[in-house]
Amino acid sequence: MKIADIELGERPVMLAPMEDVTDLSFRLICREMGAALVYTEFVSAEALVRDISSTVRKLTIDERERPVAIQIYGRDADAMVEAARIVERARPDIIDLNFGCPVKKVASKGAGAGMLRDIPKMLDITRAVVRAVSLPVTVKTRLGWDADNKIITDLGPRLQDCGIRALTVHGRTRAQMYTGQADWTLIKALRDDPRMEIPVIGNGDITTPEEARDAFDCFGVDGVMIGRASFGAPWIFRDVRQMLDTGTYTPLTLDEKFALLMRQIHESVERIDEYRGILHIRRHLASSPLFKGIPNFRETRIRMLRADTLADLHAVLAEARRLITTAYD
């Protein structure tokens, strides 16, 4: 699969853009684990234009993580164009437009998935950004606003006509948020549309290597994007890649998984500082499937979420590891 001239290989698996999750360290680890393309946290166009330092820092990329996409969101065409030009100077490989974020503070203001209620404006913004930059522009969106307005099969070709080079579809409506089950049948219908010449990437409920395999085999997508299933589990890209390439996979050992989590912790602290770095990484740790099924894990999880020093966090993880070993001996 290719996006413009960017070769991503056969049946690529990508890391979804996620706020407070896809920081530089995590993206690098996911690339090492087999992610074909990684995305930054989504970036506010208005904040970029206003030169808000915390937003500008999100544009930092590392040569080792290429290919990498920077995703922007906003509701104003002029701000989106200016933001895209700023992003282009950061030299990502791709600029992605976020028309799918469902959270209230974004969608209720007409940005992200809010654009699904104003398709003419979405198309105007897309055309304007494509004209303004020389980098490939892609879009990530959802099936539609709600169950009565699943418009993706009509919207996909219209976005393609705006000049985008790939389209990612999360198989839920905005009204669903992250509840219910992702509907891949409409993603398949879009991929099967003879008008669609650009890659169609599917997103939603890919949590295992088997589900990734089935997404390709049953729904015919060009690529698969993994989001929440990577929280605290960057090794999912390795497992999926093995499954797609060989038909099976060998999970990492417990030691190897803990080593990756410890690397995330220390790189987060080094990148920011001890307190804020731990605050950031706790979301990954608390969501990690590594700890699921441990008897009476609630108390340990609470301690993990309250840890604010490396010493505290190391102690909690040592206890969690002991519980895992005890539970599965």
Side-chain angles (χ1 to χ4, degrees):
M1 175 189 143
K2 295 175 73 172
I3 296 178
D5 294 327
I6 302 165
E7 179 59 60
L8 299 177
E10 184 179 356
R11 298 195 293 179
V13 182
M14 308 163 198
L15 171 66
M18 293 174 285
E19 179 67 6
D20 292 329
V21 175
T22 54
D23 60 273
L24 177 56
S25 173
F26 187 61
R27 298 195 307 267
L28 281 168
I29 292 173
C30 290
R31 280 287 287 136
E32 292 172 16
M33 290 289 104
L37 174 66
V38 294
Y39 289 69
T40 65
E41 302 171 74
F42 55 84
V43 178
S44 164
E46 292 185 4
L48 264 189
V49 171
R50 297 200 309 270
D51 198 31
I52 304 299
S53 59
S54 59
T55 300
V56 173
R57 281 197 295 270
K58 293 180 180 179
L59 304 187
T60 301
I61 59 177
D62 187 302
E63 289 299 313
R64 295 171 295 168
E65 63 176 312
R66 294 188 186 278
V68 57
I70 293 179
Q71 187 187 72
I72 59 174
Y73 72 94
R75 60 182 178 178
D76 178 76
D78 290 340
M80 287 288 279
V81 165
E82 187 174 350
R85 288 173 172 152
I86 294 170
V87 166
E88 188 169 36
R89 294 196 290 271
R91 296 182 59 250
D93 299 284
I94 293 166
I95 296 175
D96 190 69
L97 307 183
N98 179 330
F99 298 142
C101 178
V103 299
K104 184 176 181 180
K105 69 178 182 179
V106 174
S108 65
K109 296 178 181 178
M115 280 288 168
L116 289 164
R117 306 186 83 175
D118 192 345
I119 299 305
K121 189 173 186 180
M122 177 194 291
L123 298 175
D124 285 345
I125 287 175
T126 304
R127 278 190 292 266
V129 171
V130 168
R131 287 195 299 263
V133 298
S134 59
L135 289 174
V137 176
T138 60
V139 164
K140 187 172 189 287
T141 189
R142 289 184 167 232
L143 301 179
W145 180 258
D146 56 28
D148 296 324
N149 294 278
K150 294 182 178 180
I151 60 172
I152 192 61
T153 53
D154 173 68
L155 178 60
R158 298 174 73 184
L159 285 167
Q160 176 179 256
D161 290 344
C162 293
I164 65 170
R165 309 304 294 272
L167 175 61
T168 300
V169 181
H170 183 111
R172 289 182 173 85
T173 64
R174 188 275 167 175
Q176 285 181 273
M177 300 291 286
Y178 296 103
T179 63
Q181 188 172 9
D183 179 2
W184 282 69
T185 61
L186 287 178
I187 302 176
K188 175 175 170 54
L190 179 64
R191 175 63 284 168
D192 290 346
D193 188 328
R195 294 174 294 174
M196 292 300 293
E197 299 177 353
I198 61 174
V200 174
I201 301 159
N203 176 222
D205 293 349
I206 301 298
T207 62
T208 67
E210 292 82 4
E211 288 167 345
R213 176 200 59 203
D214 293 346
F216 285 107
D217 292 347
C218 300
F219 301 104
V221 290
D222 298 290
V224 163
M225 185 173 283
I226 295 178
R228 288 173 293 161
S230 68
F231 285 13
W235 50 82
I236 190 171
F237 294 100
R238 172 192 175 278
D239 295 347
V240 169
R241 189 71 266 154
Q242 282 192 7
M243 172 63 76
L244 295 175
D245 291 343
T246 70
T248 187
Y249 71 99
T250 303
L252 292 179
T253 66
L254 184 63
D255 284 346
E256 290 170 325
K257 289 178 179 180
F258 264 94
L260 281 173
L261 293 184
M262 294 303 295
R263 174 181 165 187
Q264 275 191 260
I265 292 167
H266 286 276
E267 289 185 359
S268 181
V269 168
E270 290 170 6
R271 184 175 58 88
I272 314 173
D273 58 46
E274 184 173 21
Y275 176 75
R276 291 182 300 158
I278 289 173
L279 191 65
H280 168 77
I281 205 65
R282 289 187 312 200
R283 181 175 184 180
H284 289 263
L285 298 175
S287 302
S288 179
L290 197 58
F291 307 121
K292 288 182 179 177
I294 298 176
N296 304 314
F297 183 63
R298 182 174 179 274
E299 182 179 337
T300 305
R301 186 175 186 272
I302 291 172
R303 289 176 56 211
M304 185 181 295
L305 290 171
R306 289 177 176 172
D308 56 11
T309 69
L310 279 174
D312 288 344
L313 198 51
H314 285 173
V316 175
L317 287 176
E319 172 64 11
R321 183 167 183 165
R322 185 190 65 78
L323 289 173
I324 293 173
T325 303
T326 302
Y328 296 108
D329 273 350

